[in-house]
Amino acid sequence: YVLADISEFAAQKPEVNAYVEKTMEFAVQNRMVRAANLVSSALSKMQIARLSMDMGLPEYSFFQVESEAVAWLLSAK
């Protein structure tokens, strides 16, 4: 399970996305079950959602309130 606070994460250039993809690849290889992302920007949300889908992350969602993100992580069946 991952709780990522990306609320200050601005839209990134393609060369930075390569590092984000490597992090996501590591998560998939290590059997990450869920990722909850705290966001404050629709643009960041769209960028991370696209990368998450492209990398085949199993289950991820976006939140603005940490307690809601944690509740979602812990509600995995």
Side-chain angles (χ1 to χ4, degrees):
Y1 299 90
V2 173
L3 174 61
D5 184 348
I6 56 173
S7 58
E8 300 294 324
F9 191 76
Q12 300 296 316
K13 296 179 181 180
E15 56 268 16
V16 175
N17 284 342
Y19 290 104
V20 175
E21 288 174 0
K22 287 183 183 196
T23 301
M24 291 178 174
E25 183 179 319
F26 177 84
V28 170
Q29 291 172 351
N30 288 278
R31 292 174 255 168
M32 184 198 72
V33 176
R34 286 183 144 188
N37 300 281
L38 297 173
V39 296
S40 61
S41 157
L43 186 57
S44 293
K45 178 181 175 180
M46 289 181 349
Q47 186 175 31
I48 296 299
R50 182 188 56 76
L51 288 170
S52 297
M53 189 178 346
D54 290 350
M55 294 303 298
L57 293 184
E59 197 169 351
Y60 57 90
S61 194
F62 298 89
F63 302 89
Q64 292 184 328
V65 178
E66 184 175 346
S67 61
E68 292 174 6
V70 171
W72 180 78
L73 284 171
L74 297 175
S75 71
K77 295 176 184 173

